[in-house]
Amino acid sequence: MKPENQETKQQPGTPKHNSLLQAYGWNEHWEAELQRIAAVGVPLVPARVVAQFSHQYRIVTEAGEHAAIVTGKFEFEAVNRGDFPAVGDWVLVQPLPGEARAVIHALLPRRSAMVRKEAGQRVDMQVISANLDYVFITNALNQDFNLRKIERYLLAVWESGAKPVVLLTKADLCEAPDHYTALVEGIAPGVPVHAVSAFENQGREALAEYLLPGQTIAITGSSGVGKSTLLNWLADAEKQRVQDIRESDARGRHTTTHREMFVTPSGAIIVDTPGMRELQLWESDEGMDTTFSDIGELAASCRFQDCRHEREEGCAVKQAIADGTLEQRRFANFKKMEKELAHMARKEESVNRRTKKQAEKRVSAKSRVGRRAASAYAGDIGDDE
């Protein structure tokens, strides 16, 4: 959400490239975005959202950490949940004099945002984290290893605008990590895949190219894959509490209960996120094409352009499944997510229509009240005359 006035104007008192803000990723891009945003009547300073607790936030400004909430105007103008700040967002805030609190007035435009459908029946988007350079998709090398789940996360990350990196955690529990690395590489062409173990300090050197100063990285995956352990390992500190997994099914308990950002000794900024039992997809323009590029290439060779890859003659996709060059389960997952996204698009369109009608009714009702008030006022004047 931006202020209405978009004239170029420097915020009064806003320092350029403050060292604390730089530690959290402030750079020339954000400085340029700040120059494009006009003042909104009060002195505002840039800040980054480093933790989120429902609609309350912890932010970092050039002066340090503050607790923050959005303004009433911000909340009123937010169309959906995704319009609210998320961890990783850069915001313009008004610090409250004499208090360690601030009020959020606006968001700087996001460069990337990983989103999902909000849990439950409500049709709304939830921003997992914003302004990411990389997303570490974690999957443990135990009973929880699941290629189909990795495909789902890859779709969401490609759609976000960030770059995916797959980390196969708990490699010390696996006798053949290279085998599983090859399996993942087979469904994620061009995506880096690394087997790592925090307990054995295995694979850390391969992650150095991502852990650069100012780079923002989110760690995501299911509960129990070792996200918090991974964060503590990369940060060389006990940043997050960890718990053991259940031995019966290798599933983890929720250790991380909120999204939070940490700066590591290397200067990289890491966002730890709560584990997700299932990543419900929100939308996809490019994510499906990128995640399943092999299926797209096969489909281009089908005899019919509108081939549904079911019973049509000359279907290159069905032929690839028959000769073993395309795994049936991968194609089934592709069709499942394709249907899920189409269903979500229909539901979102229905909600948007309903929201539009409700807004039109409110405007119409407000207009009728205004006309009646004007008519009554005119009548009073006529009586006086």
Side-chain angles (χ1 to χ4, degrees):
M1 184 177 298
K2 305 177 187 177
E4 295 178 0
N5 189 348
Q6 294 293 307
E7 297 174 3
T8 301
K9 190 173 181 180
Q10 170 66 23
Q11 293 294 326
T14 301
K16 291 187 177 181
H17 309 304
N18 174 272
S19 58
L20 182 56
L21 288 184
Q22 278 188 302
Y24 280 89
W26 186 260
N27 56 32
E28 288 78 6
H29 169 82
W30 298 113
E31 189 71 49
E33 287 295 325
L34 180 63
Q35 300 298 322
R36 294 177 56 246
I37 304 297
V40 292
V42 293
L44 301 180
V45 298
R48 195 166 199 189
V49 178
V50 298
Q52 180 180 0
F53 311 89
S54 185
H55 285 328
Q56 300 206 14
Y57 308 91
R58 189 162 74 246
I59 62 171
V60 169
T61 71
E62 68 271 14
E65 287 196 357
H66 297 71
I69 58 172
V70 299
T71 64
K73 179 183 178 182
F74 192 117
E75 187 167 4
F76 177 78
E77 292 181 348
V79 176
N80 54 49
R81 187 173 176 181
D83 291 333
F84 283 90
V87 172
D89 269 322
W90 286 100
V91 293
L92 297 180
V93 307
Q94 177 188 11
L96 300 180
E99 302 183 46
R101 296 190 302 129
V103 182
I104 298 172
H105 284 257
L107 289 179
L108 294 182
R110 292 166 175 154
R111 299 187 73 177
S112 64
M114 186 173 176
V115 303
R116 67 169 180 172
K117 177 192 171 294
E118 187 178 52
Q121 297 301 313
R122 183 178 177 183
V123 181
D124 204 350
M125 67 180 289
Q126 180 184 33
V127 180
I128 298 171
S129 191
N131 299 315
L132 304 170
D133 296 294
Y134 295 98
V135 176
F136 286 174
I137 302 170
T138 55
N139 200 263
L141 288 174
N142 56 15
Q143 299 173 45
D144 198 42
F145 179 78
N146 189 321
L147 289 174
R148 309 287 79 86
K149 188 178 295 183
I150 293 172
E151 287 171 342
R152 180 172 285 264
Y153 277 92
L154 282 169
L155 189 156
V157 176
W158 281 125
E159 190 65 25
S160 76
K163 298 175 183 178
V165 178
V166 178
L167 301 189
L168 302 179
T169 61
K170 306 184 180 182
D172 55 296
L173 303 179
C174 178
E175 294 183 356
D178 290 345
H179 168 70
Y180 291 96
T181 298
L183 289 178
V184 177
E185 289 174 341
I187 61 145
V191 176
V193 183
H194 305 285
V196 300
S197 169
F199 290 104
E200 298 291 335
N201 198 31
Q202 175 185 340
R204 184 167 183 164
E205 64 283 351
L207 305 184
E209 64 180 291
Y210 316 111
L211 301 173
L212 300 176
Q215 296 288 294
T216 302
I217 303 162
I219 302 176
T220 188
S222 302
S223 300
V225 300
K227 296 188 303 299
S228 295
T229 299
L230 180 68
L231 169 64
N232 292 340
W233 178 48
L234 296 177
D236 285 325
E238 193 72 14
K239 297 290 188 180
Q240 293 285 60
R241 186 171 56 89
V242 297
Q243 297 184 27
D244 293 332
I245 63 170
R246 294 193 300 263
E247 296 297 335
S248 59
D249 59 3
R251 294 297 179 90
R253 304 177 181 89
H254 288 285
T255 300
T256 303
T257 57
H258 62 277
R259 297 168 186 83
E260 188 166 3
M261 177 180 288
F262 303 91
V263 179
T264 66
S266 71
I269 305 138
I270 296 183
V271 181
D272 193 18
T273 65
M276 291 179 278
R277 294 298 184 196
E278 182 181 5
L279 174 65
Q280 297 189 63
L281 302 176
W282 176 247
E283 60 184 16
S284 176
D285 294 324
E286 300 178 2
M288 282 288 286
D289 292 340
T290 305
T291 304
F292 296 101
S293 58
D294 55 336
I295 295 177
E297 290 173 3
L298 287 168
S301 300
C302 290
R303 179 180 299 177
F304 304 106
Q305 290 186 345
D306 60 348
C307 184
R308 300 176 62 185
H309 320 305
E310 293 176 354
R311 296 183 177 86
E312 297 90 344
E313 292 185 4
C315 176
V317 173
K318 300 300 289 185
Q319 182 60 45
I321 293 173
D323 61 28
T325 56
L326 175 63
E327 186 184 10
Q328 171 64 44
R329 286 179 293 182
R330 176 168 169 80
F331 179 67
N333 199 37
F334 164 79
K335 296 295 289 184
K336 175 184 177 182
M337 288 196 278
E338 190 177 52
K339 290 179 181 178
E340 182 179 338
L341 287 164
H343 177 65
M344 179 55 59
R346 290 192 297 270
K347 290 179 70 174
E348 185 183 1
E349 184 179 355
S350 176
V351 169
N352 289 340
R353 285 198 304 267
R354 187 164 62 250
T355 302
K356 182 179 179 180
K357 287 182 180 179
Q358 291 171 347
E360 289 172 348
K361 286 181 179 179
R362 287 196 298 269
V363 171
S364 178
K366 185 176 180 180
S367 178
R368 287 196 301 271
V369 170
R371 287 196 299 269
R372 286 197 297 267
S375 177
Y377 178 70
D380 290 342
I381 293 176
D383 291 341
D384 290 340
E385 293 177 347

